[in-house]
Amino acid sequence: MNDEPFWTRIVFPALLRPARTTYGQAMRAALARIGCDDVPRNGLYVIGALNLEGMPLAQVIRDLGVSKQAAGQLVDTLVLRGYLERSVDPEDRRRLTVTLTERGKAAAAAQAAAREAIDAELIARVGAEKVMHAREVLGALLVMGHEHDHADED
């Protein structure tokens, strides 16, 4: 019998998806409680990212890793469902800006509260230091991915 924890026998990438699902399920439940159960797939990411000041939509779309067409359809759906609004950029009338509506801000707040609850439970289970180490490891993976993306462009 192996006394090691089960997660030591699972490859790292296989741990990431179900771990992410823990957050996604909590966020979707929080959204459903406030009547926002119609956020499409990847919509959580767009709403959460746009809630961060200064996060340009182009960067959000790049991070999603979907085609421009799929990204456009996602934004269209979020606009139609009242989470986002498009407006003309006052500094460059040829450009459109996309911002959260009041409904989008409420969804972002519910999503953030759910994330914070999962974070708090995680810290209670393993401690703040281990959570910070996990963040460091995941951050390194993100940097590696961006470096590989830029190396492919050269």
Side-chain angles (χ1 to χ4, degrees):
M1 182 167 166
N2 191 341
D3 291 337
E4 291 182 358
F6 75 91
W7 61 83
T8 64
R9 297 182 304 275
I10 300 173
V11 296
F12 205 72
L15 290 170
L16 294 174
R17 180 178 289 274
R20 182 176 151 229
T21 299
T22 301
Y23 282 96
Q25 288 172 339
M27 291 176 185
R28 292 231 175 252
L31 290 172
R33 285 192 293 276
I34 65 165
C36 294
D37 57 349
D38 61 344
V39 175
R41 186 169 179 259
N42 289 327
L44 289 174
Y45 184 77
V46 172
I47 290 169
L50 288 178
N51 194 47
L52 300 173
E53 294 293 322
M55 179 70 124
L57 182 61
Q59 179 65 45
V60 174
I61 299 307
R62 252 190 320 278
D63 289 349
L64 274 176
V66 298
S67 70
K68 286 183 181 181
Q69 181 181 4
Q73 290 171 345
L74 176 59
V75 169
D76 288 345
T77 299
L78 289 168
V79 168
L80 287 171
R81 294 182 184 173
Y83 294 101
L84 303 178
E85 77 179 349
R86 287 187 181 102
S87 57
V88 174
D89 185 332
E91 295 178 17
D92 183 351
R93 301 203 45 84
R94 296 169 294 173
R95 291 183 32 186
L96 291 176
T97 59
V98 178
T99 55
L100 294 173
T101 62
E102 289 306 313
R103 185 174 194 218
K105 291 175 187 174
Q111 184 176 335
R115 185 195 70 244
E116 289 165 7
I118 295 294
D119 286 348
E121 183 177 343
L122 187 58
I123 289 169
R125 287 177 183 236
V126 301
E129 187 175 349
K130 286 185 178 178
V131 171
M132 189 52 66
H133 286 298
R135 293 178 68 85
E136 181 181 359
V137 168
L138 294 172
L141 281 170
L142 290 173
V143 169
M144 288 168 54
H146 286 286
E147 288 172 354
H148 289 274
D149 287 347
H150 293 300
D152 291 343
E153 293 172 359
D154 294 339

